[in-house]
Amino acid sequence: MNVLFLCTGNSCRSILGEATFNHLAPDGWRAMSAGSRPTGTVHPRSLALLQREGISTEGLHSKSWDGLPVTPDVVITVCASAAGETCPAYLGPVLRTHWGVEDPAHVTGTDEVVDAAFVTAYRILRARIEALFALPLDTLADDRGRLQQAMDRIGTEIS
């Protein structure tokens, strides 16, 4: 099962999602990330946070959804529509769900405030990914409707 974490810039949230997902993923599940308008660089605070958490940052880079290595089965958008962000719409026959997370790259203030925003985004994404992996994935992988419902519920109930 190939999962795409999608946002606009592909520098923070989608990168955190990709790396954390792959760190925790069971056999047969793999994540990638992309942006509709990638910044071209991964935010250094994202990389530092992942390294502190013991999660590999090898191969992480900001990239466009135009050059994905495989077609995803699932697309998880992570834009924060409550903050007025427009979520990119991935076209194709995929399961889509929304796990909105505030963009830590837009937080201003002291280093402590900005770092806290990155940690919050990471913790939300990790909790949602852990909730997904706690589901009966063998059963759900063959029932797209139930998988859709479960992933939508995770995106609205876990923060």
Side-chain angles (χ1 to χ4, degrees):
M1 183 78 63
N2 293 304
V3 175
L4 171 63
F5 283 87
L6 182 63
C7 66
T8 305
N10 191 223
S11 68
C12 295
R13 297 163 293 179
S14 54
I15 293 286
L16 291 171
E18 172 189 8
T20 303
F21 189 100
N22 288 333
H23 181 72
L24 301 172
D27 287 343
W29 289 75
R30 191 81 189 138
M32 57 193 147
S33 68
S36 57
R37 293 188 310 271
T39 63
T41 60
V42 176
H43 198 290
R45 289 182 195 256
S46 293
L47 296 173
L49 172 57
L50 291 167
Q51 289 168 344
R52 282 194 309 274
E53 292 294 322
I55 298 173
S56 175
T57 60
E58 184 177 336
L60 294 177
H61 62 285
S62 178
K63 57 212 160 291
S64 172
W65 61 7
D66 292 329
L68 297 175
V70 297
T71 301
D73 301 296
V74 176
V75 174
I76 301 171
T77 53
V78 293
C79 53
S81 49
E85 277 185 282
T86 303
C87 290
Y90 185 87
L91 304 175
V94 299
L95 185 152
R96 294 172 190 83
T97 194
H98 178 66
W99 289 1
V101 177
E102 295 297 326
D103 190 350
H106 295 299
V107 173
T108 59
T110 65
D111 282 342
E112 291 79 15
V113 168
V114 176
D115 283 342
F118 275 83
V119 168
T120 297
Y122 165 76
R123 286 188 180 151
I124 291 168
L125 287 165
R126 183 169 181 132
R128 290 174 180 171
I129 292 164
E130 288 174 344
L132 172 63
F133 291 149
L135 296 172
L137 296 178
D138 292 341
T139 305
L140 291 176
D142 294 327
D143 187 340
R144 292 177 65 85
R146 285 187 49 222
L147 180 59
Q148 174 83 56
Q149 290 174 339
M151 292 185 77
D152 288 348
R153 190 170 45 257
I154 287 168
T156 58
E157 294 178 359
I158 298 178
S159 58

